[in-house]
């Protein structure tokens, strides 16, 4: 499993039967493939769909049916369509149980930057701010470090903040942090990951859950 | 009385310098026949309220490329590099709003609400220059409603009266824009006699719609 799939699988495991879920673009979209069989969740898309189904087969694409990333989708039995104002009313109004978001960075209070890169023209925000503001629970899914090795879990954001509202859970390919009023708490290390590695790759201050367990890699010797 | 006009006649309602709403999420639900017809006119200096400004050279993106858009008000222009280029050259003014604030501002504009407070964007760069107020210990920013001189929208089917139904996620901004402009022109795939649409299924009642134009081509 790739790093991104590890993250997506853990995010899907945080969902509860009956949840209304909004998936962002990138790693969050992958989470749809890992939703446990024993639960049923309903996928919301901010462009006006509740009940997104699997990606259509080639030749079965409907040009009027796309997700928020403008990619073709299908709908499942019981789906509904609505206008953009209604859709964002659902989001701001607290009717979305879980949003799974990608980020540029997250700070030690769990606050997110995911909409604007300084030095580039600020020309897109889309639904990023609305989803952080209004979702009951926000799960951040991100690689722990950027391509240049810099930590994405930072003391202070280098990019413009998306919302003052912090995320609730942060999932990387190495570990899971919960967020409370004080900041980050490391609650899980993935198999084969040491506390030393997480400390070395995390710029933000974090507390460590009591009895945190390091486990051996499940796939020792494999790629 | 008929609301059906040709796409050429529709252009009489779009004037130089006017403020125009255009439906669609990217090209999905965008009235492309009307936009293509507009491209063939010389109308310019437009202020466009639309979630995006089309794609490079496509839809509203073609108007941007021709330098005929003065200002864009929307939520996501990143997917069209022409928009960033025109903005950086100082040829295009941009007002960026969170997508929910954009859609609610349009809804409010159509519902007689001049402004509203929203928590979305409070404490961020989006809030710069906006009035702030605290309700129950939480910060909110004031957003003024949006209205336009003309709205170009896309629906799947109309009846002769102008009642509209939409297709799947091509609905998006179209029903709210139908309420928020002085002149509303709906491009539709098909027009049926009055009574041909089930009253329970009509999304946009005909009082919002001034003119109907039939979509051309695939």
């Amino acid at each position: 499993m790739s790093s991104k799939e590890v993250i997506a699988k853990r995010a899907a495991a945080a969902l509860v039967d009956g949840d209304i879920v909004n998936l962002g673009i990138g790693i969050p979209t992958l989470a749809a493939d890992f939703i446990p069989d024993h639960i049923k969740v309903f996928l919301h898309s901010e462009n006006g769909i509740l009940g997104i189904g699997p990606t259509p087969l080639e030749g079965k694409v409907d040009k009027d049916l796309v997700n928020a990333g403008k990619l073709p989708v299908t709908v499942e039995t019981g789906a509904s369509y609505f206008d953009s104002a209604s859709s964002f009313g659902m989001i701001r109004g607290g009717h979305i149980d879980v949003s799974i978001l990608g980020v540029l960075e997250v700070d030690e209070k769990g606050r997110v930057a995911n909409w604007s890169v300084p030095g580039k023209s600020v020309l897109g925000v889309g639904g990023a701010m609305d989803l952080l503001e209004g979702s009951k629970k926000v799960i951040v899914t991100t690689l722990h470090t950027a391509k240049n090795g810099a930590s994405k879990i930072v003391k202070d954001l280098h990019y413009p903040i998306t919302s003052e509202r912090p995320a609730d859970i942060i999932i990387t390919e190495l570990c899971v942090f919960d967020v409370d009023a004080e900041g980050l708490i490391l609650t899980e290390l993935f198999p084969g990951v040491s506390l030393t590695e997480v400390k070395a790759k995390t710029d933000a201050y974090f507390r460590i859950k009591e009895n945190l367990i390091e486990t051996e890699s499940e796939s020792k010797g494999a790629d | 009385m008929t609301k059906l006009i040709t796409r050429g006649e529709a252009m009489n309602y779009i004037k130089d310098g006017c403020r125009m709403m255009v439906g669609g999420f990217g090209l999905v639900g965008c009235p492309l026949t009307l936009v293509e017809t507009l491209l063939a006119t010389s109308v310019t200096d437009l202020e466009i309220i639309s979630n995006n400004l089309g794609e490079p050279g496509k839809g509203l993106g073609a108007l941007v490329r021709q330098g005929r858009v003065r200002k864009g008000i929307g939520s996501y222009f990143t997917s069209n590099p022409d928009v960033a280029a025109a903005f950086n050259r100082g040829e295009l003014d941009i007002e960026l709003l969170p997508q929910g604030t954009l859609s609610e501002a349009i809804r409010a504009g159509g519902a007689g609400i001049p402004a509203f407070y929203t928590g979305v964007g409070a404490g961020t760069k989006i809030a710069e220059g906006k009035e702030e107020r605290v309700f129950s210990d939480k910060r909110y920013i004031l957003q003024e409603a949006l209205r336009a001189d003309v709205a170009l929208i896309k629906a799947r089917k109309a009846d002769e009266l102008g009642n509209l139904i939409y297709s799947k996620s091509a609905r998006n901004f179209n029903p709210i824009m139908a309420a928020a402009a002085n002149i509303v022109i709906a491009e539709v795939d098909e027009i049926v006699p009055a009574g041909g649409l089930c009253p329970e299924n009509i999304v946009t009642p005909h009082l919002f719609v001034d003119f109907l134009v039939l979509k051309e081509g695939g």
Side-chain angles (χ1 to χ4, degrees), chain B residues 75-128:
Chain B
S75 89
Y76 197 81
F77 303 121
T78 316
S79 50
N80 186 349
D82 290 344
V83 172
F87 176 76
N88 290 332
R89 288 195 303 268
E91 293 166 11
L92 175 66
D93 190 12
I94 289 290
E95 183 176 341
L96 197 64
L97 294 171
Q99 199 172 140
T101 303
L102 173 70
S103 55
E104 188 63 15
I106 296 165
R107 197 198 67 80
I113 307 288
F116 58 92
Y117 286 100
T118 176
V120 177
T124 75
K125 282 175 76 168
I126 291 283
E128 285 171 10

Side-chain angles (χ1 to χ4, degrees), chain A residues 26-158:
Chain A
I27 298 172
T29 309
L30 296 176
D33 296 334
F34 293 101
I35 293 166
D37 289 338
H38 63 278
I39 68 165
K40 172 67 194 164
V41 302
F42 301 93
L43 300 181
H44 172 273
S45 187
E46 54 264 43
N47 57 321
I49 311 170
L50 178 61
I52 287 187
T55 302
L57 299 171
E58 215 172 310
K60 296 278 183 188
V61 170
D62 183 330
K63 65 177 177 45
D64 285 342
L65 195 46
V66 297
N67 64 14
K70 301 191 178 104
L71 296 171
V73 292
T74 58
V75 289
E76 55 184 15
T77 306
S80 55
Y81 302 114
F82 31 86
D83 68 63
S84 299
S86 302
S87 188
F88 281 92
M90 293 172 191
I91 295 169
R92 267 194 321 272
H95 306 283
I96 305 300
D97 295 309
V98 184
S99 272
I100 305 181
L101 305 171
V103 299
L104 293 162
E105 283 179 343
V106 54
D107 76 6
E108 61 186 26
K109 293 283 187 193
R111 294 177 305 187
V112 163
N114 72 345
W115 72 284
S116 163
V117 180
K120 297 202 173 169
S121 308
V122 180
L123 291 175
V125 57
M129 290 186 176
D130 305 89
L131 286 162
L132 253 172
E133 181 76 18
S135 304
K136 283 188 200 159
K137 185 185 210 177
V138 173
I139 300 176
V140 163
T141 56
T142 179
L143 292 172
H144 208 96
T145 52
K147 282 194 186 108
N148 65 5
S151 181
K152 294 180 77 168
I153 324 287
V154 296
K155 188 167 175 2
D156 297 302
L157 297 173
H158 302 93

Side-chain angles (χ1 to χ4, degrees), chain B residues 8-183:
Chain B
E9 286 166 342
M11 296 303 115
N12 296 331
Y13 300 95
I14 307 172
K15 313 279 190 205
D16 283 351
C18 81
R19 188 188 234 207
M20 185 167 82
M21 288 184 182
V22 183
F25 186 82
L27 298 179
V28 178
C30 180
L32 291 172
T33 295
L34 287 169
V35 171
E36 275 168 30
T37 312
L38 181 60
L39 277 171
T41 70
S42 61
V43 175
T44 190
D45 195 31
L46 295 165
E47 182 171 331
I48 297 181
I49 300 169
S50 186
N51 189 54
N52 323 94
L53 281 171
E55 291 176 8
K58 284 187 190 163
L60 295 172
L63 276 176
V64 172
R65 200 170 268 186
Q66 292 175 6
R68 292 161 62 187
V69 183
R70 178 182 77 247
K71 182 175 181 183
I73 302 173
S75 89
Y76 197 81
F77 303 121
T78 316
S79 50
N80 186 349
D82 290 344
V83 172
F87 176 76
N88 290 332
R89 288 195 303 268
E91 293 166 11
L92 175 66
D93 190 12
I94 289 290
E95 183 176 341
L96 197 64
L97 294 171
Q99 199 172 140
T101 303
L102 173 70
S103 55
E104 188 63 15
I106 296 165
R107 197 198 67 80
I113 307 288
F116 58 92
Y117 286 100
T118 176
V120 177
T124 75
K125 282 175 76 168
I126 291 283
E128 285 171 10
K130 291 189 175 169
E131 184 187 322
E132 193 177 299
R133 195 168 154 183
V134 173
F135 296 95
S136 305
D137 297 329
K138 188 171 148 42
R139 294 160 77 188
Y140 292 82
I141 52 176
L142 186 70
Q143 174 64 44
E144 288 189 26
L146 290 169
R147 283 193 62 87
D149 300 307
V150 58
L152 307 183
I153 65 165
K154 171 72 176 63
R156 184 167 80 81
K157 203 187 267 193
D159 69 15
E160 291 164 331
L161 295 170
N163 289 308
L164 303 178
I165 62 168
Y166 298 88
S167 174
K168 306 183 177 100
S169 63
R171 181 182 308 196
N172 55 66
F173 287 84
N174 289 299
I176 50 175
M177 288 180 172
N182 297 337
I183 302 280

